[in-house]
Amino acid sequence: METPIPKAIAEIKERIEQLKRQNDAVILAHYYVRDEVQEIADYIGDSFYLSKLAVGLKAKTLVVCGVSFMGESAKILNPEKRVLLPDSRADCAMAHMITPEKVARLRAEHPGAAVVCYINSTAELKTCSDVCVTSANALSIVRALPNEEIIFIPDENLGRHIAGKLPEKKFIFNDGRCPIHARITPADIDAARAAHPGAPVLAHPECVPAVLEKADYIGSTSGILHYATEHAEKQYIIVTECGIGYELRRQNPDKEFFFVEPTPVCEDMKFITLEKIARVLETGEGEVTLEDALRSRANAPLERMLELAK
Ligand code: 13P
Ligand code: SF4
């Protein structure tokens, strides 16, 4: 028997539908947001999918359910659209883990190097970069660059993972990380394997190298989803943020997914709620604005990413 939807939730969902029509709006959600937000979203995906998708949409308003770099990227790529972020506190700690001054210093020390910037970064950091990448396309984009030297910012773990696959290139890393993924330890993987013997371990490349060494598969959130959906095993150990569980279970009702313990939770992603989505659509609060010069300088590395990822 289906659990009845509480009246208040049903009402708010209906209100959001009305507001979407009034505002010519669509809702884009990252896999890490709350289940009920993913449930009402028009599009759900990883960082790459969301940035690529936003460019082709006809709607005048984009409600970006994720952290601030996702709202900024949508605005940078779609300056004529109104982009609403339901809670401006939703930020990614890693996005700030290098300064433009340090990037300038590294460039001066390595004049032939390309600065490759993970999309989990501020608009200002993007302006100091040659190309953006996401966890889904970093390998193919870095491989395609003519530069032999790569300054990879801000995430050291993703950088090292890519570097391991491109021995022909020399990498300069930055001391930055996702606090949620970086706290997962190799012992956590051992414990999960002991609890669920035979279940493949699927890990996000933001984890530390010692954790990634223990994984059967390493990939972005969409990569993890694809792997679990395409493979025959009925149980999987998931080594990334728990929000991905919603789509994993939705697409694979016959399979079981176990997260490492303690369950990784990105509190920033969870700031986004149905009430806040309704509020920004009602009031226009939470609009992402960027000064023109900053926007166009941050646009170049994002456009280059979309071009190289084709
Ligand atoms: P994806 O590139 O898989 O969407 O990851 C984004 C992210 O924030 C991971 O922590
Ligand atoms: Fe940033 Fe980590 Fe949260 Fe992803 S999970 S948004 S990298 S803090």
Side-chain angles (χ1 to χ4, degrees):
M1 202 179 72
E2 265 189 52
T3 326
I5 307 173
K7 196 164 167 271
I9 296 189
E11 276 169 11
I12 192 151
K13 285 183 176 171
E14 205 182 305
R15 182 87 192 109
I16 290 171
E17 282 308 314
Q18 267 174 14
L19 287 162
K20 270 170 46 183
R21 284 193 294 275
Q22 284 165 18
N23 285 278
D24 187 15
V26 287
I27 298 181
L28 278 58
H30 189 268
Y31 290 128
Y32 291 166
V33 296
R34 294 165 182 269
D35 291 5
E36 64 272 22
V37 173
Q38 294 191 51
E39 202 183 316
I40 57 121
D42 297 292
Y43 304 96
I44 318 170
D46 69 358
S47 307
F48 179 50
Y49 172 79
L50 294 178
S51 52
K52 196 173 53 168
L53 173 101
V55 179
L57 292 175
K58 297 243 182 325
K60 289 199 180 75
T61 298
L62 309 178
V63 182
V64 176
C65 299
V67 288
S68 57
F69 77 81
M70 295 175 177
E72 278 184 356
S73 299
K75 183 66 187 174
I76 292 166
L77 289 162
N78 302 276
E80 75 297 345
K81 291 196 201 301
R82 182 169 69 136
V83 175
L84 302 175
L85 195 66
D87 190 325
S88 58
R89 290 173 305 168
D91 198 1
C92 168
M94 179 163 59
H96 306 269
M97 287 192 184
I98 187 167
T99 60
E101 293 72 30
K102 183 173 172 193
V103 181
R105 203 178 71 232
L106 291 173
R107 268 201 197 275
E109 286 166 13
H110 305 275
V115 175
V116 175
C117 185
Y118 191 24
I119 199 166
N120 296 37
S121 52
T122 60
E124 195 188 9
L125 281 173
K126 290 182 174 75
T127 68
C128 318
S129 311
D130 296 305
V131 64
C132 286
V133 295
T134 73
S135 57
N137 61 32
L139 178 61
S140 61
I141 288 182
V142 177
R143 182 182 277 137
L145 292 176
N147 315 62
E148 203 186 312
E149 264 192 308
I150 304 294
I151 299 169
F152 198 97
I153 63 168
D155 186 11
E156 178 169 0
N157 292 323
L158 176 63
R160 287 197 184 277
H161 171 62
I162 300 302
K165 301 199 173 289
L166 298 172
E168 67 279 17
K169 295 196 189 262
K170 179 173 176 281
F171 282 71
I172 296 99
F173 300 111
N174 167 63
D175 179 24
R177 74 205 58 78
C178 161
I180 287 81
H181 287 83
R183 72 170 70 107
I184 302 167
T185 66
D188 299 336
I189 309 298
D190 294 343
R193 277 205 196 271
H196 311 288
V201 171
L202 317 184
H204 196 281
E206 287 175 13
C207 297
V208 297
V211 164
L212 295 181
E213 271 169 30
K214 289 181 175 277
D216 298 298
Y217 170 79
I218 301 166
S220 67
T221 45
S222 56
I224 290 174
L225 188 60
H226 187 74
Y227 186 102
T229 307
E230 294 304 307
H231 284 73
E233 286 91 342
K234 293 289 182 204
Q235 296 191 324
Y236 296 86
I237 294 164
I238 305 298
V239 192
T240 189
E241 210 272 350
C242 63
I244 186 75
Y246 172 81
E247 194 59 15
L248 281 167
R249 289 186 290 268
R250 198 185 68 79
Q251 288 195 24
N252 302 280
D254 58 328
K255 296 182 181 175
E256 281 185 293
F257 301 99
F258 305 102
F259 285 82
V260 276
E261 295 288 345
T263 310
V265 181
C266 178
E267 298 292 349
D268 285 81
M269 289 281 186
K270 310 305 180 206
F271 279 139
I272 312 298
T273 61
L274 295 179
E275 290 76 6
K276 289 174 193 167
I277 294 170
R279 203 189 60 225
V280 293
L281 279 167
E282 246 153 20
T283 63
E285 283 167 28
E287 181 168 355
V288 178
T289 54
L290 288 165
E291 196 229 310
D292 262 0
L294 172 68
R295 192 209 67 79
S296 74
R297 283 188 298 132
N299 187 46
L302 278 173
E303 291 283 1
R304 194 167 179 209
M305 170 184 83
L306 295 179
E307 194 50 43
L308 287 171
K310 270 182 190 160

